[in-house]
Amino acid sequence: MKPVIDSHIHLDLYDRNEREQILRELPLYQVDSLLAVSFHLSSCLQTLSYKHPSIKHALGYHPEQALPETKELEAITELIRNNRSTIVAIGEVGLPYYTDHGDMKNYAALLEHFIKLAKELQKPVILHAIYEGADIACDLLEKHEVTDAHFHWFKGSEQTLDRMKKKGYRISVTPDCVYEQEIQSIIEHYPIELLMVETDGPWQFEGKYEGQLTHPKMIHDSIATIAQIKHLPIDRVYEIMYKNTKHFYKLDAPEKGNR
Ligand SMILES: [Zn+2]
């Protein structure tokens, strides 16, 4: 076991006891950092309230819900600007897929707002954009020449993957890579230097994880799966995943620097 980073977790969606358990157990499972993403305004405020040294903050508005009121969007935007020196990214943002919210145009406009903000503040953007949504996200990233993009739990066509590969966009895989063939083939086709690992907790997984609390310790299994698929020694995969995430999110930079 070597150090790991959970590159995408919804800490505020756990109940308090679960969250405290996870934080207590970080050293036990060599979890170096957690990238805590936000869902909406109150989630952003909740995320910012976690002052643990291993918690890195990202602020945004998740697309799988009704569009925000103008006031809420303005408040999130202001929060992002005011915390620009301490947050590590803008996210989670993107386009809806699992829920039907009608007009995709309005969601694309919202995503474009966050992409422009990410460019202005020079922050990476964390995307929830799969299948056809991924292509719309790619169009917007290209339009604004933003390359620091992390597509979390990506699912999509090989064509889209090729397009993303050329731009150097990052993809992260969840513990479902242990049993989901679709994700295994993405790991096979995508360059390892563009891969990261995550849990998307508290989202619950199936197979051997059925009924279990989603915990960053599960990432050790994902690393073993990646090593197997890529035919690489597991220690090497630990190093690459760790370095990829540290580097992409500039987690080594001084906390109060002008990042
Ligand atoms: Zn998420």
Side-chain angles (χ1 to χ4, degrees), residues 55-72:
I55 300 175
K56 313 298 172 189
H57 309 98
L59 305 180
Y61 190 88
H62 198 288
E64 300 282 0
Q65 60 187 321
L67 287 158
E69 305 261 331
T70 312
K71 249 188 161 176
E72 182 172 6

Side-chain angles (χ1 to χ4, degrees), residues 138 158-171 186 188-191 193-194:
C138 284
E158 250 179 73
Q159 235 175 342
T160 310
L161 270 178
D162 278 342
R163 183 177 179 187
M164 289 163 58
K165 203 190 301 183
K166 279 189 196 118
K167 294 286 174 188
Y169 301 153
R170 267 58 171 186
I171 284 180
I186 287 172
E188 199 181 329
H189 288 102
Y190 216 65
E193 60 274 14
L194 299 177

Side-chain angles (χ1 to χ4, degrees), residues 8 10 37 62 92 152 200:
H8 188 106
H10 295 264
V37 296
H62 198 288
E92 175 170 1
H152 104 92
D200 202 25

Side-chain angles (χ1 to χ4, degrees), residues 36 45 60 83 112 122 128-129 173 206 216 221 229 243 250 253:
L45 293 167
N83 291 280
E112 188 165 13
Q122 293 178 285
H128 168 101
V173 296
E206 298 163 25
D221 294 340
I229 295 171
K243 266 214 288 209
K250 300 186 171 68

Side-chain angles (χ1 to χ4, degrees), residues 8-10 13 37-39 62 92 126-128 152-153 198-201 203:
H8 188 106
I9 185 166
H10 295 264
L13 299 182
V37 296
S38 308
F39 214 88
H62 198 288
E92 175 170 1
I126 303 164
L127 294 157
H128 168 101
H152 104 92
W153 204 345
E198 60 153 315
T199 57
D200 202 25
W203 179 270

Side-chain angles (χ1 to χ4, degrees), residues 128-247:
H128 168 101
I130 60 173
Y131 301 114
E132 51 270 38
D135 289 298
I136 302 173
C138 284
D139 290 342
L140 291 170
L141 291 168
E142 286 173 19
K143 178 177 167 191
H144 295 285
E145 296 174 311
V146 168
T147 51
D148 282 346
H150 169 188
F151 286 75
H152 104 92
W153 204 345
F154 179 78
K155 300 174 193 84
S157 70
E158 250 179 73
Q159 235 175 342
T160 310
L161 270 178
D162 278 342
R163 183 177 179 187
M164 289 163 58
K165 203 190 301 183
K166 279 189 196 118
K167 294 286 174 188
Y169 301 153
R170 267 58 171 186
I171 284 180
S172 55
V173 296
T174 68
D176 77 341
C177 71
V178 170
Y179 57 84
E180 239 359 302
Q181 233 188 337
E182 185 183 0
I183 307 296
Q184 290 167 355
S185 96
I186 287 172
I187 293 172
E188 199 181 329
H189 288 102
Y190 216 65
I192 194 160
E193 60 274 14
L194 299 177
L195 281 180
M196 296 189 279
V197 278
E198 60 153 315
T199 57
D200 202 25
W203 179 270
Q204 287 211 332
F205 293 96
E206 298 163 25
K208 64 187 276 194
Y209 305 119
E210 186 88 54
Q212 282 184 35
L213 174 76
T214 293
H215 189 295
K217 69 181 178 189
M218 293 173 176
I219 279 175
H220 293 288
D221 294 340
S222 307
I223 299 232
T225 300
I226 297 170
Q228 216 173 16
I229 295 171
K230 293 291 199 191
H231 306 290
L232 284 169
I234 189 161
D235 281 1
R236 184 81 191 104
V237 177
Y238 269 114
E239 276 166 31
I240 297 170
M241 291 302 112
Y242 188 80
K243 266 214 288 209
N244 284 355
T245 316
K246 277 254 174 193
H247 178 76

